[in-house]
Amino acid sequence: MEESRHLPDMHESPCHYRRALEVISNKWTVLVFYELETGAKRYHYLKKQVEGVTQKMLTQTLRQLERDGLVHREVYPTVPPSVEYSLTPLGESLIEPMRMLHKWTESHYGSVLAARELYDQHA
């Protein structure tokens, strides 16, 4: 009973959870975060490392993350201009929850796949 006071009530404020999911639920967002976790990166490095992302999607993802205050965009006055992206302190605050989700995925995704297969066999 004491423990329930510490758990969030999902029915109490569903918009807060919805809003949080809007910020981090994009697969490109998560993959960009994993790349930026180790420090600032240039656009072309991110494009190369985030497998499968198009230039348009990477640009949109980075702009949204910058708009949300999670990523900082630094433009250097070179010719041509070079741009680096890094996590802001707010962005860094999401690293631990994302690591927990990654750990859960590593531990349980096999069970999800098995459940899907069993469901599909009976459907």
Side-chain angles (χ1 to χ4, degrees), residues 66-77:
E66 185 180 8
R67 181 175 182 248
D68 290 341
L70 302 171
V71 165
H72 173 72
R73 180 177 185 263
E74 182 76 32
V75 180
Y76 296 96

Side-chain angles (χ1 to χ4, degrees), residues 12-26:
E12 190 173 300
S13 56
C15 354
H16 294 296
Y17 298 105
R18 188 177 312 120
R19 289 179 196 152
L21 288 173
E22 286 173 8
V23 172
I24 63 165
S25 65
N26 179 305

Side-chain angles (χ1 to χ4, degrees), residues 15 24 36 44 64 67-68 73 84-85 94 109 119:
C15 354
I24 63 165
L36 294 177
H44 291 293
Q64 186 62 49
R67 181 175 182 248
D68 290 341
R73 180 177 185 263
E84 270 187 352
Y85 295 89
L94 273 172
Y109 197 67
Y119 178 88

Side-chain angles (χ1 to χ4, degrees), residues 37-49:
E37 179 180 3
T38 57
K41 305 288 188 301
R42 290 188 176 190
Y43 180 91
H44 291 293
Y45 177 87
L46 293 170
K47 173 73 176 80
K48 184 178 171 184
Q49 293 300 113

Side-chain angles (χ1 to χ4, degrees), residues 30-89:
V30 174
L31 295 173
V32 166
F33 256 80
Y34 283 131
E35 291 301 325
L36 294 177
E37 179 180 3
T38 57
K41 305 288 188 301
R42 290 188 176 190
Y43 180 91
H44 291 293
Y45 177 87
L46 293 170
K47 173 73 176 80
K48 184 178 171 184
Q49 293 300 113
V50 180
E51 189 177 323
V53 71
T54 64
Q55 183 173 336
K56 178 182 177 180
M57 283 308 303
L58 181 57
T59 299
Q60 286 178 356
T61 300
L62 288 166
R63 282 186 184 154
Q64 186 62 49
L65 290 171
E66 185 180 8
R67 181 175 182 248
D68 290 341
L70 302 171
V71 165
H72 173 72
R73 180 177 185 263
E74 182 76 32
V75 180
Y76 296 96
T78 59
V79 178
S82 55
V83 179
E84 270 187 352
Y85 295 89
S86 59
L87 294 177
T88 64

